[in-house]
């Protein structure tokens, strides 16, 4: 950011004094100070360029080689407001060396929310006031630019693959008011909300449903949220298949520290005219920062108890069994899996695998490619075998989103 300043004054000493006050306030290249010695010169400059600050001597000549006029400054002050050809600056500071004129003109400046200084070479007070005003203006411009840059920017994005997951995700964000949103050039319907946090700040959230499973749909939607909505972090909630090993139970929430892609490898015929599958599982990892925050939530007994209580209160879960929270490796591929045989083959390649879905690798690979942050959070609705069903879809979609909601509120 550069602050553009115009000094309108005909006295060399005063111009030098002003420069010596202003320039040291900024690093090199952060301020540019121009000068005009007459009203005519100032008018020409302000027609051709926008200035952030104009410092106007109230006693100044209209034209070159004319005597300074005691009315020229006040008249030009009015013209700055009324002449449509002149670019209105963010701030005007008037200067006068005459006490009688200072008392008479300061009300006029105050009415326009501008400022009048009494200049005196023998006094330092005007320098302190000028420094304060220039610093205030620089901050105002910086905040304004930041506001423009952040317009349309969100802190967090959330992706769901299926509409039932998306519905339960919004439900889990208890008390948040969601509204529809469109992003230019994108076919998705987005929903937005704000999440209050324990640090008394609000997190701007934008969420969308891909409306179809799979790596490609997830990757496209993730890219849109990273590049157009400019989210800092992206999360995915919903349902996943668990890999049964005695430690994972139905409804447990899995946070993926990495996601492997089992869809890569080689299929070839054997000598017995059978097909063999040579696996090449590539992995993409979660954001270390987000994973650390999720670990803290998963270890918080109070938060975990609250989520379990919510599930009971909403009749999404019955009985005494509690949802538990695991940070684990997961694997991803293009199929709805209902084969214990294939799951056992995948498990044999990495005993630490505890879940599989159809989207996670697309999320993590996109985040890695764009050097962004992402975290996959899903709950176990079945074990990818013949007993697959829909009985746990709602509870799992809700509990994974409830975990994310607590993460954003308490640890993000």
């Amino acid at each position: 950011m550069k602050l553009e300043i115009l000094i309108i004054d005909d006295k060399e000493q005063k111009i030098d004094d002003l420069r010596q006050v202003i320039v040291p306030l900024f690093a090199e290249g952060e301020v540019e100070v121009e000068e005009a010695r007459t009203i005519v010169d100032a008018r020409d400059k302000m027609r051709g360029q926008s200035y952030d600050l104009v410092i106007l001597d109230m006693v100044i000549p209209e034209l070159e080689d004319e005597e300074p006029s005691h009315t020229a400054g006040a008249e030009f002050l009015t013209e700055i407001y009324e002449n449509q050809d002149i670019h209105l600056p963010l701030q005007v500071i008037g200067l006068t060396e005459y006490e009688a004129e200072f008392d008479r003109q300061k009300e006029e400046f105050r009415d326009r929310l501008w400022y009048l200084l009494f200049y005196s070479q023998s006094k330092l007070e005007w320098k302190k006031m000028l420094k304060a005003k220039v610093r205030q203006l620089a901050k105002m411009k910086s905040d304004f630019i930041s506001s423009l840059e952040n317009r349309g920017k969100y802190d967090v994005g959330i992706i769901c693959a299926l509409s039932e997951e998306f519905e339960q995700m919004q439900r889990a964000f208890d008390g948040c008011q969601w509204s529809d949103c469109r992003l230019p050039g994108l076919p998705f319907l987005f929903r937005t909300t704000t999440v209050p946090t324990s640090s008394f700040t609000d997190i701007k959230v934008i969420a969308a449903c891909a409306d179809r499973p799979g790596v490609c749909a997830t990757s496209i939607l993730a890219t849109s949220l990273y590049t157009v909505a400019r989210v800092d972090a992206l999360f995915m909630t919903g349902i996943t298949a668990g890999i049964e090993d005695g430690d994972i139970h139905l409804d447990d929430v899995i946070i993926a520290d990495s996601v492997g892609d089992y869809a890569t490898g080689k299929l070839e015929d054997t000598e017995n005219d059978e097909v063999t599958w040579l696996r090449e599982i590539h992995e993409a990892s979660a954001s270390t920062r987000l994973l650390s925050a999720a670990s803290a939530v998963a270890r918080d007994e109070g938060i975990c108890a609250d989520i379990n209580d919510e599930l009971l209160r909403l009749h999404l879960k019955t009985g005494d069994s509690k949802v538990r929270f695991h940070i684990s490796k997961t694997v991803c591929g293009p199929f709805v899996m209902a084969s214990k045989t294939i799951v056992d083959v995948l498990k044999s390649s990495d005993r630490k695998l505890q879940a599989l879905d159809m989207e996670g690798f697309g999320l993590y690979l996109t985040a890695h490619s764009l050097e962004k942050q992402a975290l996959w959070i899903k709950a176990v609705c079945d074990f990818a075998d013949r007993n697959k069903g829909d009985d746990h879809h709602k509870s799992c979609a809700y509990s994974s989103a409830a975990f994310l909601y607590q993460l954003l509120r308490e640890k993000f």
Side-chain angles (χ1 to χ4, degrees):
M1 182 201 79
K2 179 187 285 188
L3 203 66
E4 305 280 354
I5 298 176
L6 176 64
I7 298 174
I8 307 172
D9 203 304
D10 63 322
K11 295 180 180 178
E12 190 71 38
Q13 181 61 54
K14 196 188 295 183
I15 292 173
D16 288 343
D17 287 347
L18 292 168
R19 284 182 176 274
Q20 289 175 23
V21 171
I22 294 169
V23 174
L25 299 176
F26 301 92
E28 185 176 354
E30 290 184 354
V31 65
E32 183 171 339
V33 180
E34 297 184 18
E35 55 192 66
R37 303 299 179 99
T38 67
I39 294 297
V40 169
D41 188 17
R43 185 182 294 116
D44 288 342
K45 287 181 179 294
M46 294 180 69
R47 280 173 174 163
Q49 181 177 339
S50 295
Y51 293 94
D52 302 304
L53 171 63
V54 169
I55 300 176
L56 171 64
D57 189 357
M58 302 308 293
V59 180
I60 188 168
E62 178 76 26
L63 296 167
E64 192 174 355
D65 298 328
E66 284 188 355
E67 288 297 313
S69 166
H70 281 253
T71 61
E75 290 168 355
F76 189 57
L77 181 66
T78 299
E79 185 180 353
I80 289 173
Y81 256 115
E82 296 179 353
N83 189 339
Q84 298 299 311
D85 294 333
I86 290 178
H87 296 288
L88 188 67
L90 295 178
Q91 175 83 326
V92 175
I93 294 178
L95 287 180
T96 182
E97 300 175 63
Y98 304 95
E99 289 193 41
E101 291 186 354
F102 176 78
D103 292 334
R104 177 171 54 83
Q105 293 171 339
K106 66 181 179 181
E107 291 299 326
E108 185 174 1
F109 271 83
R110 189 178 294 126
D111 289 344
R112 288 175 170 148
L113 302 179
W114 290 343
Y115 200 72
L116 183 66
L117 286 178
F118 180 70
Y119 170 85
S120 172
Q121 281 189 290
S122 63
K123 295 181 180 179
L124 299 177
E125 188 64 25
W126 71 270
K127 293 183 179 181
K128 295 179 182 178
M129 293 181 178
L130 180 60
K131 285 181 181 180
K133 286 296 177 182
V134 171
R135 286 188 176 122
Q136 183 184 57
L137 178 63
K139 185 179 186 307
M140 183 177 72
K141 183 177 180 180
S142 176
D143 290 346
F144 179 70
I145 290 173
S146 178
S147 175
L148 289 178
E149 289 175 346
N150 290 326
R151 186 171 58 184
K153 181 185 184 302
Y154 295 85
D155 302 309
V156 164
I158 304 172
I159 290 177
C160 294
L162 305 173
S163 58
E164 62 180 334
E165 295 171 323
F166 196 56
E167 179 183 342
Q168 293 301 321
M169 182 277 296
Q170 293 173 80
R171 185 184 181 193
F173 276 53
D174 185 42
C176 294
Q177 300 298 314
W178 291 88
S179 58
D180 291 343
C181 171
R182 291 283 185 184
L183 295 182
L186 297 178
F188 304 101
L189 174 63
F190 297 91
R191 303 217 77 201
T192 63
T193 191
T194 57
V195 175
T197 71
S198 58
S199 59
F200 304 104
T201 58
D202 287 343
I203 296 173
K204 290 178 64 179
V205 177
I206 184 168
C209 180
D211 278 328
R212 66 191 68 184
V215 164
C216 290
T218 298
S219 183
I220 291 169
L221 185 50
T223 301
S224 300
L225 286 166
Y226 280 132
T227 57
V228 181
R230 296 181 291 156
V231 297
D232 297 322
L234 191 55
F235 299 87
M236 190 168 202
T237 65
I239 60 176
T240 187
I243 295 178
E244 195 168 13
D245 63 357
D247 190 40
I248 300 295
H249 300 89
L250 289 174
D251 294 322
D252 281 0
V253 173
I254 309 290
I255 302 101
D257 65 1
S258 67
V259 182
D261 177 21
Y262 73 74
T264 57
K266 183 179 181 181
L267 296 175
E268 65 178 15
D269 291 331
T270 67
E271 293 180 356
N272 299 324
D273 293 329
E274 296 177 349
V275 176
T276 185
W277 176 20
L278 305 177
R279 298 180 303 283
E280 296 177 6
I281 295 183
H282 302 291
E283 286 187 351
S285 298
S287 157
T288 302
R289 184 178 80 85
L290 299 183
L291 196 62
S292 176
S295 297
V297 175
R299 293 192 303 268
D300 192 311
E301 294 182 359
I303 291 177
C304 296
D306 287 344
I307 294 174
N308 276 287
D309 289 344
E310 277 186 60
L311 292 170
L312 291 172
R313 179 175 61 82
L314 297 171
H315 306 292
L316 292 172
K317 188 171 175 58
T318 58
D320 296 329
S321 64
K322 302 292 185 182
V323 171
R324 297 182 303 162
F325 303 88
H326 310 263
I327 294 178
S328 312
K329 284 189 172 185
T330 70
V331 70
C332 173
F335 307 112
V336 175
M337 190 68 68
S339 170
K340 186 177 185 305
T341 301
I342 295 180
V343 170
D344 288 343
V345 171
L346 293 172
K347 180 72 174 178
S348 68
S349 65
D350 191 334
R351 62 183 179 81
K352 294 183 178 180
L353 289 178
Q354 291 191 316
L356 69 157
D357 82 331
M358 299 172 64
E359 296 83 30
F361 189 72
L363 175 67
Y364 278 15
L365 184 61
T366 302
H368 175 76
S369 300
L370 297 177
E371 298 181 342
K372 301 292 186 178
Q373 300 179 79
L375 195 65
W376 179 103
I377 306 167
K378 294 191 178 184
V380 176
C381 65
D382 61 62
F383 288 108
D385 54 22
R386 291 181 179 179
N387 297 319
K388 286 181 77 72
D390 299 341
D391 293 349
H392 293 265
H393 281 197
K394 284 186 177 180
S395 61
C396 288
Y398 185 93
S399 59
S400 61
F403 181 90
L404 171 58
Y405 182 56
Q406 292 300 329
L407 188 157
L408 295 178
R409 283 175 53 87
E410 303 295 337
K411 305 295 182 181
F412 184 70

